[in-house]
Amino acid sequence: MIPIQPRSLLRHAVVAATAAVLLPLAQAQAPADWPQHPVTVVMTFPAGSGVDVVARTLQEPLGKVLGQPVVIDYKPGAAGNIASEYVARARPDGYTVVFGTAATHGSNAALYKKMSFDVETDFVPVTPILDVSNVLTINPDVINVKTLKEFVEVVKANPGKFNYASTGNGTGTHMAFAEFNSRLGLNMAHVPYKGGPEAMTAVLKGETCCIMNQVQTVLTQYKAGKVRLLGVTTAKRVAAIQEVPTIAESGLPGAGGFDSSTWFALFAPKGTDPKVVARLNGAVRTVLETPEIRGKLESAGNTIRIETPEQFRQTVHANRAKWADVVKAANVTID
């Protein structure tokens, strides 16, 4: 027998101790019968926002498919960065995921000079949920126009007079308007609010003239005749408001090919076991393909998006690059 030197004994002890710690952790990350307890979805924006409406729609049916309750935990602020950072630092066991958007995991990377996490390398893209159309929504008592062409003419004739609202710095509603202003050469001031409800209230009160808000959040006020809709930000018209043209259809200089939609999605911390990711991706897909859920989401102006985790990873990467170009062209920065 070859004697083991003291240094070798120490090395063997360290390796054994490390294995003893890491093996249970690895097993805990992806048990065969995951999930064994409730799954928490951390919300990037406040209650009543567009993401909250969608999350609440999916909450109960997703819990039934998973066999465990789905808990919603609100951590809004900093255009979703607070919630995103929280989940980036969470244990990668599949029990804590973040409800992200094309803003939180796309444009924020270009907008914020200092971020404590990377929107791609610190997360595993689990699944997209849907594409969301924004629509240019105006208060006719503040700016009394009926078409997008008239809107642009009035704003250009009054540079700096009109303010637009958003659901927060760096959000999809902010970035859609920033891209719109940049491409059409408009001079409008941005007024950020803490979320969708506050931003819409500001428009209704006349504090700002307009907002590019999600279709689902303006439908009620639109049907009540309190606001006008001038153009959707997507490449195609939205079924829920088929009568409203796209911005690209206006034919205005700079509007050609305009497509500034956003998506909602789930992300897990890096290191989450691929089997857990696949399980959660499949569960969300099952829920989205349910006729009742699909009909409810689509009637609100959304488009269901189905992708595998790998396909969605490519979407996230392309989206990040797209918004980096937009941010640069619009000269928008947030400290």
Side-chain angles (χ1 to χ4, degrees), residues 80-275:
N81 285 342
I82 292 175
S84 296
E85 180 179 10
Y86 177 84
V87 174
R89 307 291 176 246
R91 187 178 182 185
D93 54 12
Y95 289 105
T96 304
V97 296
V98 64
F99 198 108
T101 71
T104 66
H105 287 71
S107 57
N108 278 8
L111 283 168
Y112 286 84
K113 297 177 180 178
K114 296 181 180 179
M115 292 179 66
S116 60
F117 59 89
D118 186 280
V119 296
E120 290 190 74
T121 60
D122 285 333
F123 293 92
V124 176
V126 176
T127 179
I129 297 172
L130 45 77
D131 289 322
V132 183
S133 299
N134 288 320
V135 58
L136 178 51
T137 305
I138 68 165
N139 181 334
D141 292 332
V142 180
I143 182 167
N144 189 17
V145 296
K146 296 183 178 179
T147 67
L148 190 65
K149 183 175 183 295
E150 292 177 354
F151 176 86
V152 171
E153 289 174 347
V154 171
V155 172
K156 282 191 172 182
N158 299 274
K161 176 181 178 180
F162 295 103
N163 301 334
Y164 70 91
S166 81
T167 55
N169 280 319
T171 61
T173 59
H174 174 201
M175 296 312 301
F177 224 127
E179 182 178 7
F180 178 72
N181 285 346
S182 175
R183 290 179 58 163
L184 277 76
L186 304 184
N187 180 3
M188 301 181 70
H190 170 223
V191 183
Y193 289 85
K194 294 182 178 180
E198 292 88 348
M200 273 305 297
T201 298
V203 174
L204 292 171
K205 288 183 175 180
E207 294 176 9
T208 62
C209 78
C210 45
I211 186 173
M212 277 192 184
N213 212 348
Q214 297 155 18
V215 172
Q216 63 184 3
T217 62
V218 303
L219 275 177
T220 299
Q221 305 299 343
Y222 171 56
K223 292 179 179 178
K226 295 182 179 180
V227 296
R228 287 181 188 157
L229 308 183
L230 302 185
V232 295
T233 62
T234 42
K236 297 181 180 180
R237 294 196 183 196
V238 177
I241 49 172
Q242 189 65 33
E243 68 280 9
V244 181
T246 68
I247 289 175
E249 285 181 76
S250 68
L252 292 166
F258 191 91
D259 185 359
S260 191
S261 59
T262 187
W263 40 254
F264 293 168
L266 295 181
F267 293 83
K270 68 177 179 181
T272 301
D273 190 280
K275 293 180 180 179

